Amino acid sequence: MSDSQKAALASLESGKPVGHDTPFVYNVEVDSEAKAKRVRLFSVAAPHMRAFHLSWINFFMTFLATFAPASLIPIIREDLSLTKNQLGTAGTTTVVGAIFARIFMGVTLDIMGPRFGSALIMCMFAAPVFLFALISDASAFAGMRFLIGICLANFVCCQQWVGSMFNVKIVGTANAITAGWGNAGGGATQIIMPAIYEGIRNGGVPAFEAWRWAFFVPGGIFLVLGLLTWMTGWDAPRGDYRVLKANGEMATLKGSTWRLIKVGLFNYRTWVMMFNYGYCFGVELTVDNIIVTYLYDKYKMDLVTAGGLGALFGLMNVFSRPSGGMISDLIAIPFGMRGRIWALFIIQFLGGLFCLAMGFTETLAATIAIMIIFSIFCQQACGATYGVVPFVSRRSYGVVAGLVGAGGNLGAVITQVIFFSGSPGSPVLSKDDGLIWMGVMIMGVSCTLVFVHFPMWGSMFFPGNGSSEEDYYLNEWSAEEIAMGLHSTSMKFAMESRSQRGFKASEALAVSMKLPTEAPTDSVSLDSEVSVTLADIDAKPQTDAAK
């Protein structure tokens, strides 16, 4: 082994990137962009799997902290004498802050890198988690929930970081696993925080003090994870953004930041995906906010039982959101991007149907059964959404991911205000009626997916126009940037993205051009190493990649 290879291996073990002039050696086969071709779940090696695990763990903790107050509402409500309107207002403010934070974070990540963004959020928002223990009235309750909710912007870090580390054929699966496991924090907090509270209270601390001490646990974990992310993570497969910019591998041209924003902002597909994400992830946020009090009040059960049953909705994320990403990746093998969009539409529409059905149930058993089915489709739609999002823009992926992620929070605000706040400015509905009308809205919004059309791949009802992937992604760069070679990463991505034509479309094209075809061997499966893998994405192995 050469000295340069030893240096690269040392960098992998230490978690610190090396310069551009040092060859990289990865512990997994990579593609032309140095993106991993498989997800090795039991590995924490840098850069790919370390980014994978740091992403979902950080996101899990932000979800847990954001909905920790909701899991203890019956106790906090009594301590602070909160009314229904005050609780509704606080529930809305929880997700408002992250709307703008996710947009801002999307731009920041494309400039500074996802490692920086994720570490910044974890360290900065440890403070409001600690300070939540000091609140004394409704205003402070709503204000601190607003501040803690901003940390949900870590979702954008999670998706942009993982999306930049894994090949286009498994990016839906990788994104969905990390987001799904992260979202599970919203369910886990319904069990974890009441358990921490009960443990402290059983230790002799009064109830109205015990819930306050409970918030020091997630606050401390935030700080530890923030430092760990900063010290051991990589921004990209070939190193940190600082190094890549210094080596000319990333755009540093004057005015490039505005063009970066504009490319994502003025792509209409961004807004359609944002709108739809508001009614899968946004719905999930809304349910996380109301489910414990819904079960507690409707079926007159104790807090721990209500928390345990309510946790089922969020905990389904462990497998349901990843399965949505897998379905998207699998359907793309024969049907390409058109298959991905159809899968998202069907899954999300069914989620709306079961949300509606949940509002009509009158027994606990039926409510829990339908809630579980509803959660599966709702969360699968979230995973399938981010099977499409990475292809909207290569250059402005962070901006697009941020805007779509913000749409999730915006949808939560809209549904919370319209259906569950009970304020004078919105219909005063029961939670059952709110669920019914929220289901109707989900089904209606799903129909807007018919407008998502990629010129090279087509849409739900129409095929592509024959243009190339290179044409689509090259349009994101100016002539000056192209002359400087800053578009090279987009061209590599375009080449990898030809798989989104789908085997069926490629077969039809080959027949029309009288070219030979053969069936693909790609699959998404769990191998003996408990890995999600796609075999033979490139016919030729990467140099030094699989050694």
Side-chain angles (χ1 to χ4, degrees):
M1 182 179 292
S2 67
D3 291 339
S4 62
Q5 288 177 322
K6 289 179 180 178
L9 283 175
S11 74
L12 289 173
E13 293 171 356
S14 67
K16 297 188 178 298
V18 294
H20 178 63
D21 57 342
T22 306
F24 280 70
V25 180
Y26 303 102
N27 75 329
V28 65
E29 190 175 3
V30 298
D31 64 14
S32 62
E33 296 182 274
K35 293 181 178 180
K37 295 184 176 183
R38 64 173 60 188
V39 179
R40 301 171 63 92
L41 296 181
F42 289 159
S43 171
V44 292
H48 307 95
M49 291 312 303
R50 190 163 302 171
F52 179 93
H53 289 298
L54 286 173
S55 293
W56 79 259
I57 293 172
N58 287 353
F59 187 40
F60 177 94
M61 282 308 304
T62 60
F63 235 97
L64 184 146
T66 298
F67 293 100
S71 69
L72 297 174
I73 281 294
I75 303 301
I76 298 174
R77 177 176 61 186
E78 184 180 353
D79 186 9
L80 304 182
S81 301
L82 301 174
T83 66
K84 179 180 179 181
N85 286 351
Q86 289 170 336
L87 289 172
T89 299
T92 302
T93 60
T94 300
V95 293
V96 167
I99 296 174
F100 302 103
R102 286 185 170 193
I103 296 172
F104 173 79
M105 187 54 63
V107 178
T108 301
L109 297 185
D110 279 330
I111 299 171
M112 304 297 294
R115 175 185 67 103
F116 170 84
S118 188
L120 178 67
I121 287 175
M122 300 307 290
C123 291
M124 181 180 294
F125 289 93
V129 176
F130 283 127
L131 292 174
F132 193 85
L134 303 179
I135 64 172
S136 58
D137 56 33
S139 297
F141 177 72
M144 295 309 297
R145 289 209 69 183
F146 171 84
L147 290 175
I148 295 174
I150 293 174
C151 73
L152 287 179
N154 213 327
F155 167 76
V156 183
C157 305
C158 173
Q159 297 297 272
Q160 203 265 12
W161 205 0
V162 173
S164 67
M165 289 287 182
F166 293 90
N167 178 269
V168 297
K169 289 189 177 181
I170 60 168
V171 69
T173 299
N175 270 340
I177 292 175
T178 52
W181 290 359
N183 283 356
T189 194
Q190 313 291 352
I191 298 174
I192 293 173
M193 291 304 290
I196 294 174
Y197 158 76
E198 290 290 348
I200 295 172
R201 190 173 67 86
N202 291 338
V205 178
F208 289 170
E209 293 180 18
W211 72 260
R212 298 174 185 274
W213 284 108
F215 281 87
F216 280 81
V217 176
I221 296 174
F222 264 51
L223 288 176
V224 172
L225 288 173
L227 294 173
L228 191 64
T229 300
W230 177 257
M231 295 172 64
T232 68
W234 297 28
D235 286 317
R238 292 199 57 80
D240 290 340
Y241 278 18
R242 174 181 54 82
V243 176
L244 298 177
K245 288 180 179 180
N247 293 325
E249 293 189 46
M250 292 189 66
T252 56
L253 193 65
K254 184 177 181 181
S256 61
T257 300
W258 165 240
R259 184 168 180 84
L260 177 78
I261 297 171
K262 186 171 68 172
V263 165
L265 194 63
F266 291 102
N267 188 323
Y268 84 91
R269 298 166 194 85
T270 301
W271 296 96
V272 178
M273 299 307 298
M274 177 181 178
F275 192 35
N276 277 271
Y277 197 59
Y279 288 91
C280 52
F281 182 66
V283 165
E284 182 180 346
L285 291 179
T286 300
V287 175
D288 282 335
N289 252 333
I290 69 165
I291 192 62
V292 173
T293 51
Y294 173 67
L295 295 174
Y296 182 86
D297 293 336
K298 183 172 182 175
Y299 294 107
K300 311 303 179 187
M301 57 183 63
D302 62 82
L303 176 60
V304 174
T305 303
L309 291 175
L312 292 174
F313 186 89
L315 289 175
M316 299 306 291
N317 268 296
V318 172
F319 77 90
S320 58
R321 182 156 182 161
S323 67
M326 285 187 177
I327 290 170
S328 183
D329 285 341
L330 285 169
I331 202 70
I333 295 173
F335 299 110
M337 180 55 65
R338 298 179 70 186
R340 288 185 187 270
I341 299 171
W342 265 109
L344 173 57
F345 169 77
I346 293 170
I347 292 169
Q348 188 163 279
F349 192 91
L350 288 173
L353 189 63
F354 279 94
C355 178
L356 183 152
M358 183 175 167
F360 286 107
T361 59
E362 294 298 335
T363 65
L364 178 60
T367 296
I368 299 303
I370 293 177
M371 181 190 74
I372 290 173
I373 299 172
F374 165 39
S375 71
I376 291 173
F377 284 122
C378 177
Q379 293 153 11
Q380 279 184 336
C382 296
T385 297
Y386 274 82
V388 176
V389 167
F391 300 96
V392 172
S393 172
R394 173 63 180 89
R395 178 177 185 175
S396 302
Y397 178 32
V399 174
V400 174
L403 286 167
V404 174
N409 286 71
L410 181 60
V413 170
I414 293 172
T415 54
Q416 186 86 28
V417 168
I418 294 177
F419 303 127
F420 300 104
S421 70
S423 64
S426 65
V428 181
L429 302 173
S430 67
K431 285 188 171 63
D432 285 322
D433 288 338
L435 288 168
I436 291 169
W437 286 107
M438 186 166 68
V440 172
M441 186 172 285
I442 294 169
M443 291 186 285
V445 168
S446 300
C447 295
T448 63
L449 288 167
V450 299
F451 298 113
V452 178
H453 182 93
F454 291 88
M456 61 286 199
W457 301 319
S459 57
M460 287 173 63
F461 294 106
F462 300 100
N465 61 15
S467 61
S468 70
E469 289 79 1
E470 288 78 4
D471 290 337
Y472 180 80
Y473 293 111
L474 194 64
N475 285 332
E476 299 181 338
W477 299 88
S478 68
E480 185 179 2
E481 290 168 329
I482 293 172
M484 294 176 64
L486 298 177
H487 68 300
S488 59
T489 55
S490 290
M491 292 302 94
K492 291 178 181 178
F493 183 79
M495 180 185 69
E496 298 289 345
S497 296
R498 291 174 185 170
S499 60
Q500 301 311 302
R501 299 173 186 177
F503 175 68
K504 296 294 185 183
S506 298
E507 186 179 53
L509 179 63
V511 169
S512 66
M513 298 177 65
K514 298 185 176 174
L515 297 174
T517 63
E518 58 182 52
T521 58
D522 309 74
S523 64
V524 180
S525 61
L526 295 178
D527 63 21
S528 59
E529 297 175 288
V530 196
S531 302
V532 182
T533 180
L534 284 170
D536 303 324
I537 294 177
D538 290 330
K540 182 179 179 181
Q542 298 293 318
T543 304
D544 293 332
K547 291 182 180 180

